[in-house]
Amino acid sequence: MTVDFTDIDARIEWANQQIAQLEARYPAFRELKPHEIIVKPNPERADYVDLCLQINEPAAAKVIREVALRSGDVVHSLRAAFDYLACAVVPNVTDHTAFPIWRSDKHPVPTPAQYKGCVLGKVKGAPSDFIKLCLDIQPYVGGNHEALRILDYLDIVDKHRMIVGVFASYERMRMDGAGGLRGMHSLPDDLPEMWIGLVPKERFPLTDGYVLVSAPPDFIDKMKIHPEIEIALGEPKPFAGRSVVPALTELAQFVSDLVDQFRRIL
């Protein structure tokens, strides 16, 4: 069977373009100052200060809304690519034709018989090699292709509300290690900066006033501690807290790779 992948590839390419455009918008988002990091006295230790997140409205809402709208476009295009594929291989397309993805919340992990029934019901009449590959993948919670279930979930959510559930994700912190060494060991002032990236415990969602770091002020100054705040997905659980652009990029690559698997057998 010869399948025309032109429209399928176009959907994936469109999604990648949207991701690139979203990433290109981040400098403009920063100029709006949707959030800032402010210094406050630590209420428990007089020799400490707190670096706190301050969310600035309405700029924060404006940024979140645009990210959510663009993310929804990306998710829809990636999800649509699979339904395009299903419709391209099914000889008699009906209202029930769609790429098979297991959606049951009551039984998140299907039995082999349940999943086979789902596949045969969605792509009835498709070539045997296509059906076999569909049966081999695992687009359900905990499966090897759970990313497809996540993509499907986000696409459904976006039809009813914005998919970005949290404003910012405290993912990492960077600081100048050389600055701390100079302060502690009297090293030369011209010692080059040595930036260190730390990955703390995952923290999201961040709300206004969230304490990011508590430390003596001279330590913060010498180490040039700078918490990095990012817009993150709030759901579903496997992707909750993930920065939006890297998460969407990962989904787009997953879609491209899986579509190529089907391309090789058709």
Side-chain angles (χ1 to χ4, degrees):
M1 181 179 188
T2 301
V3 175
D4 185 356
F5 279 79
T6 302
D7 291 344
I8 299 167
D9 292 337
R11 273 295 189 183
I12 298 172
E13 177 58 29
W14 183 257
N16 283 319
Q17 290 177 18
Q18 294 297 312
I19 294 171
Q21 290 175 17
L22 173 58
E23 187 172 22
R25 288 284 292 152
Y26 273 62
F29 294 158
R30 287 191 288 270
E31 289 182 6
L32 291 173
K33 293 186 176 180
H35 58 72
E36 298 176 74
I37 297 173
I38 61 175
V39 181
K40 291 185 177 181
N42 185 287
E44 298 179 358
R45 295 190 58 171
D47 58 336
Y48 271 47
V49 295
D50 295 338
L51 297 187
C52 302
L53 176 67
Q54 176 177 288
I55 296 178
N56 300 324
E57 300 291 1
K62 181 177 181 180
V63 169
I64 290 176
R65 188 174 298 110
E66 180 174 339
V67 172
L69 289 169
R70 289 178 180 270
S71 298
D73 289 345
V74 171
V75 166
H76 178 67
S77 281
L78 293 175
R79 178 63 184 86
F82 286 106
D83 282 343
Y84 282 18
L85 177 59
C87 291
V89 300
V90 172
N92 298 306
V93 176
T94 69
D95 291 341
H96 298 290
T97 302
F99 192 88
I101 297 174
W102 187 256
R103 290 176 172 174
S104 174
D105 292 329
K106 186 176 181 180
H107 302 286
V109 179
T111 66
Q114 287 174 326
Y115 183 58
K116 183 176 182 179
C118 173
V119 171
L120 298 180
K122 295 291 185 181
V123 290
K124 184 178 180 179
S128 58
D129 285 347
F130 180 87
I131 292 177
K132 182 179 183 303
L133 183 50
C134 284
L135 291 172
D136 287 341
I137 66 175
Q138 300 174 346
Y140 46 78
V141 175
N144 293 334
H145 300 81
E146 185 178 14
L148 188 51
R149 176 66 184 101
I150 291 171
L151 180 64
D152 183 67
Y153 173 89
L154 291 173
D155 187 39
I156 293 172
V157 166
D158 188 61
K159 296 174 183 177
H160 302 91
R161 54 182 169 83
M162 299 292 186
I163 65 174
V164 176
V166 295
F167 175 72
S169 174
Y170 177 56
E171 292 194 335
R172 56 189 176 274
M173 176 174 66
R174 62 184 177 88
M175 60 186 183
D176 178 15
L181 291 173
R182 284 193 296 269
M184 292 184 287
H185 301 287
S186 300
L187 295 179
D189 291 338
D190 61 353
L191 187 68
E193 292 182 343
M194 294 186 297
W195 288 101
I196 301 172
L198 303 180
V199 182
K201 181 180 179 181
E202 192 174 59
R203 300 176 181 178
F204 73 94
L206 301 183
T207 55
D208 187 53
Y210 193 102
V211 178
L212 301 167
V213 177
S214 294
D218 59 340
F219 178 80
I220 292 175
D221 290 340
K222 288 174 182 177
M223 300 295 282
K224 298 182 181 178
I225 293 177
H226 179 75
E228 296 188 8
I229 310 301
E230 300 183 13
I231 303 170
L233 292 172
E235 58 182 329
K237 188 175 182 180
F239 267 39
R242 295 279 304 277
S243 298
V244 171
V245 169
L248 293 178
T249 301
E250 181 180 320
L251 285 175
Q253 186 59 56
F254 164 82
V255 169
S256 181
D257 291 345
L258 186 54
V259 166
D260 282 345
Q261 289 187 47
F262 283 96
R263 192 193 313 269
R264 288 191 287 270
I265 65 166
L266 295 172

